[in-house]
Amino acid sequence: MDYRDDDQNQDDFQKRIAFQEGEEEQEKEKEEEAEQLPGTNYYVTRPRSSYYYKEKKTPYFTIIVVALIAGMLGSVLGAYIGPAYLYGKYMPYPQTGDTTGKQQIEIVTKGEELNVIPAVAKKAMPSVVGITTITVQRDLFFGARRGQGVGTGVIVDSRGYILTNSHVVNDGTSEEVNVLLYDGDTIKAEVLWNDPTLDLAVLKVNAGDLTAATLGNSDEIVVGETAVAIGNPLGLTFERTVTSGIISGLERSIPLSEFESIEGLIQTDASINPGNSGGPLLNSKGEVIGINTAKIQTGEGLGFAVPINIAKPIVDEFIEKGEFTKVQLGIRGINVTQYIASYGNNLGTEKGAFVYEIIGDSPASKAGLQRGDVVTAIDDQKIDTMGQLVRHLYQYRPGDRAVIEIVREKKKMTLEITLERAARS
């Protein structure tokens, strides 16, 4: 019994040892499986024998803050420090990047240019004068009575030459003309020249060292640019009133009567009222580009001015020679459109100056011009109306030769003519 029990105990002891060894082998197998399947829920992967370095990542919030600060610093440097200290000194200004080839429009304002109208008025005001006239009017019932008129003028030469409208001096019929200067002095003036067709007149006062206006170029003005008018709109009580606007139209033709019109006018929305007549129309540089006329009142909010380039040849000759010599063609005519309205179009042209009378022993008669001819051009300058022909003749002086194109019995012809001095009216 004892030996059997001993044997049995020994067997039990061996079985327990074998069981423990089996459990150890199972544990070892599980560990090997855990090594082959890392990251399971029950076993942790053992660290590998080789060493490695894992880079530390920067937080996203830090990156964003640094980027914002860098952007703000770059903007400040580019917007202020670059233009103020670098561009134009150490490095060229950046290009606009325009590859279209179109003209770039740049507006530059400095100092007083920010206030264009006050600067223009300051420059031109000493050259603007007031004009008062006295005219004797004949009345069938009351006899002769005196009438007064008020207008404006502009000094074009320091020796006392003044440009104004012809109707301001009653087309040369005023008995007395006085000029009120910028310093308050009133001086008697003489009418040297006037033309109702152009609505222009030149006056002269015996004064020196006057402030003359700067004459611009009316051929260069464009619709939309600044226009400033200075004048006496309601008499000397409101002398030297400044109004402003823009150039709203060019080459305007306004009829005054059935057979009379003023052409080639500048249209502006600067307010022009009776009394403004004869005053200057100025551009943004303070240059005279026209002579305002209130003779034409056909629309509310519209004003008109005679282009200064029409008056320049006349003014220049007065300044150079002290007088102006007008040339004559020796015809009387009307617009072709007026002829067509009355007699129909049997002329062979729809535009031009229709000649209804030839003055004897005149340049026209000597050149062979005939009654019924239509003048359509002079020295390649197109003539559409009688007014245009009159204006173009102011470019010539006595003795000048010109080639005129005419239509005679529906056939085009050319004639060479020598212009002569016009008789004083």
Side-chain angles (χ1 to χ4, degrees), residues 64-112:
I64 293 173
V65 171
V66 172
L68 289 174
I69 295 174
M72 293 174 63
L73 290 175
S75 299
V76 172
L77 291 174
Y80 296 100
I81 298 178
Y85 299 101
L86 299 180
Y87 294 146
K89 296 180 181 179
Y90 303 104
M91 57 189 301
Y93 286 94
Q95 300 294 325
T96 58
D98 178 36
T99 58
T100 62
K102 296 182 180 179
Q103 183 180 4
Q104 296 295 315
I105 300 175
E106 182 179 2
I107 299 175
V108 179
T109 57
K110 294 181 180 179
E112 291 190 4

Side-chain angles (χ1 to χ4, degrees), residues 286-303:
E287 299 170 336
V288 180
I289 55 175
I291 300 299
N292 301 320
T293 174
K295 187 176 181 179
I296 307 159
Q297 297 178 2
T298 58
E300 184 178 353
L302 296 180

Side-chain angles (χ1 to χ4, degrees), residues 374-383 389 403-406:
V374 178
V375 179
T376 57
I378 178 169
D379 283 340
D380 297 326
Q381 298 182 45
K382 189 177 180 181
I383 302 297
L389 178 58
V403 176
I404 61 173
E405 298 178 15
I406 65 170

Side-chain angles (χ1 to χ4, degrees), residues 118-369:
V120 169
K122 181 179 179 181
K123 176 182 179 180
M125 199 72 76
S127 304
V128 180
V129 300
I131 299 176
T132 59
T133 60
I134 297 177
T135 305
V136 176
Q137 300 174 344
R138 305 289 177 179
D139 191 286
L140 181 62
F141 299 100
F142 301 100
R145 56 193 181 97
R146 294 162 65 90
Q148 295 183 345
V150 177
T152 310
V154 58
I155 300 171
V156 293
D157 185 78
S158 61
R159 293 170 294 178
Y161 291 99
I162 298 169
L163 186 62
T164 186
N165 288 142
S166 179
H167 78 266
V168 168
V169 293
N170 297 289
D171 297 329
T173 63
S174 296
E175 286 198 354
E176 185 177 331
V177 179
N178 293 295
V179 171
L180 176 63
L181 299 177
Y182 181 68
D183 60 7
D185 291 342
T186 299
I187 305 177
K188 187 176 181 179
E190 178 188 0
V191 180
L192 299 180
W193 167 89
N194 72 282
D195 189 332
T197 306
L198 302 180
D199 197 24
L200 291 174
V202 175
L203 313 182
K204 176 71 168 63
V205 295
N206 292 323
D209 198 25
L210 300 178
T211 302
T214 303
L215 303 185
N217 186 354
S218 57
D219 291 338
E220 295 180 350
I221 62 178
V222 295
V223 173
E225 70 173 271
T226 301
V228 179
I230 303 178
N232 310 311
L234 299 173
L236 297 180
T237 305
F238 299 95
E239 63 176 328
R240 293 180 178 84
T241 295
V242 178
T243 57
S244 65
I246 62 170
I247 302 296
S248 54
L250 299 171
E251 292 296 328
R252 298 308 195 207
S253 177
I254 304 298
L256 301 178
S257 64
E258 184 179 357
F259 300 103
E260 184 183 7
S261 64
I262 299 181
E263 302 167 350
L265 297 170
I266 301 169
Q267 178 184 313
T268 177
D269 64 353
S271 180
I272 297 175
N273 297 289
N276 276 102
S277 288
L281 184 69
L282 306 146
N283 60 16
S284 59
K285 298 178 182 178
E287 299 170 336
V288 180
I289 55 175
I291 300 299
N292 301 320
T293 174
K295 187 176 181 179
I296 307 159
Q297 297 178 2
T298 58
E300 184 178 353
L302 296 180
F304 298 92
V306 181
I308 195 62
N309 282 14
I310 294 177
K312 270 185 176 181
I314 303 163
V315 171
D316 290 343
E317 189 161 341
F318 271 115
I319 294 173
E320 181 181 350
K321 300 180 179 179
E323 63 175 359
F324 172 73
T325 305
K326 181 181 177 182
V327 300
Q328 66 169 345
L329 190 59
I331 67 171
R332 291 188 177 92
I334 60 172
N335 298 340
V336 165
T337 54
Q338 295 170 341
Y339 177 92
I340 293 174
S342 300
Y343 304 103
N345 190 1
N346 56 359
L347 301 174
T349 180
E350 295 182 352
K351 294 182 178 180
F354 176 80
V355 179
Y356 68 82
E357 184 180 353
I358 302 290
I359 299 173
D361 196 30
S362 67
S365 64
K366 294 175 183 178
L369 204 63

